Amino acid sequence: MACENNLVVKQIIDLYDQISKLESLKPSKNVDTLFGQLVSTCLPTDTNIDVTKMCEEVKDMRSNLIKLCGEAEGYLEQHFSTILGSLQEDQNPLDHLHIFPYYTNYIKLGKLEFDLLTQHTSHVPTKIAFVGSGPMPLTSIVLAKFHLPNTTFHNFDIDSHANTLASSLVSRDPDLSKRMIFHTTDVLNATEGLDQYDVVFLAALVGMDKEAKVKAIEHLEKHMAPGAVLMLRSAHALRAFLYPIVDSSDLKGFQLLTIYHPTDDVVNSVVIARKLGGSNMTGVNGTRGCMFKPCNCSKIHAIMNNRGKKKNMIEEFSAIE
């Protein structure tokens, strides 16, 4: 691929060539090493690289690489969820989540998403849906354990085996076993009930290409309640070689509130939008939940102002017509 002369992009292309030749993407020393190198290569944010403006060869490579990353991530979660679920009966798998290599990243991402959520809604959500929760529903677990102790989480995944593993993780926890519910379905087949959630999360790997991502978003817009919050995962700069990008133009029918681009080892950007037609002062169906306690949002502002990079990290938007 001679159409891209950037040294870092060449490194990514070389890693893609090696990864695409692997016989299996299941966890192994070689797989872990290659993907570790790929993530490290894609982490820098001090670059002007725009993956959407690259030549078609690189765009095609990126699309294939995102799919390989998604497949490998699924195997990784399945591997560690199986290990945790097979612990002795007297052990709670949630007490051992630290064995998952990216658990610390989920802790950071969960705190970030919670803080951003409190900036855009005044009431604690009573019910949250997470679409594409997978065999290790770490976002739901982190939010439920550390930030939203009275919220019920409904986790949707198309894979019944993934839900079986995920359910096993929380089944021995006296609290989360009551507040984590699992649904095996394609989100595009889920119509009734989506309007009952105050907040809907859409996982980064739901919709691996632009067409599929937009289709999922359009479905949620059609069935979510007016005023409900949609939280999505996106990617920025080189990190867009790992995950799909969500553009403002993809969110018709929503008021786009914030796009936040981390610059640490949290890979995903966070996109927050609100379904048009409602208010942030009440929950879905006009109900009022408990008020959020004032959060220390100054921490977020301190992060955003670090090294004078605020404009590169957070963007504010108005309603999309």
Side-chain angles (χ1 to χ4, degrees), residues 37-148:
Q37 291 175 349
L38 178 64
V39 171
S40 297
T41 304
C42 293
L43 276 182
T45 57
D46 54 346
T47 173
N48 293 323
I49 289 178
D50 184 348
V51 297
T52 65
K53 296 180 180 179
M54 292 187 175
C55 68
E56 292 304 317
E57 284 184 277
V58 174
K59 288 181 180 179
D60 290 342
M61 181 277 295
R62 172 181 171 260
S63 296
N64 293 331
L65 182 57
I66 288 174
K67 292 174 184 177
L68 292 172
C69 289
E71 184 178 350
E73 187 171 321
Y75 283 134
L76 185 70
E77 290 189 8
Q78 186 180 77
H79 174 75
F80 281 95
S81 187
T82 300
I83 292 174
L84 289 166
S86 61
L87 292 173
Q88 295 181 359
E89 288 295 325
D90 61 344
Q91 296 188 65
N92 184 344
L94 300 188
D95 294 334
H96 303 275
L97 291 175
H98 59 273
I99 71 169
F100 185 68
Y102 298 105
Y103 179 59
T104 301
N105 296 61
Y106 277 94
I107 292 289
K108 294 178 182 178
L109 181 59
K111 178 64 166 64
L112 170 62
E113 289 178 324
F114 173 74
D115 286 346
L116 290 171
L117 180 63
T118 61
Q119 290 187 19
H120 293 291
T121 183
S122 58
H123 288 76
V124 179
T126 57
K127 293 173 66 176
I128 287 179
F130 194 99
V131 179
S133 48
M136 283 194 76
L138 284 172
T139 296
S140 294
I141 290 172
V142 168
L143 289 173
K145 282 187 66 175
F146 302 116
H147 305 295
L148 295 167

Side-chain angles (χ1 to χ4, degrees), residues 92-94 137 141 165-178 180-182:
N92 184 344
L94 300 188
I141 290 172
L165 290 173
S167 179
S168 177
L169 285 181
V170 302
S171 62
R172 297 178 222 172
D173 189 88
D175 176 26
L176 266 61
S177 60
K178 300 174 183 177
M180 297 275 282
I181 301 167
F182 297 91

Side-chain angles (χ1 to χ4, degrees), residues 228-286:
V229 172
L230 177 63
M231 300 194 70
L232 311 97
R233 307 276 173 75
S234 184
H236 178 62
L238 290 170
R239 301 170 185 218
F241 280 103
L242 305 175
Y243 291 101
I245 297 172
V246 176
D247 294 316
S248 58
S249 60
D250 301 331
L251 295 167
K252 292 181 174 64
F254 289 92
Q255 178 188 7
L256 181 52
L257 303 172
T258 298
I259 299 179
Y260 184 90
H261 303 302
T263 57
D264 57 7
D265 55 355
V266 174
V267 176
N268 289 117
S269 299
V270 179
V271 180
I272 305 178
R274 178 177 291 113
K275 171 77 176 287
L276 293 176
S279 168
N280 68 333
M281 296 305 295
T282 60
V284 296
N285 299 322

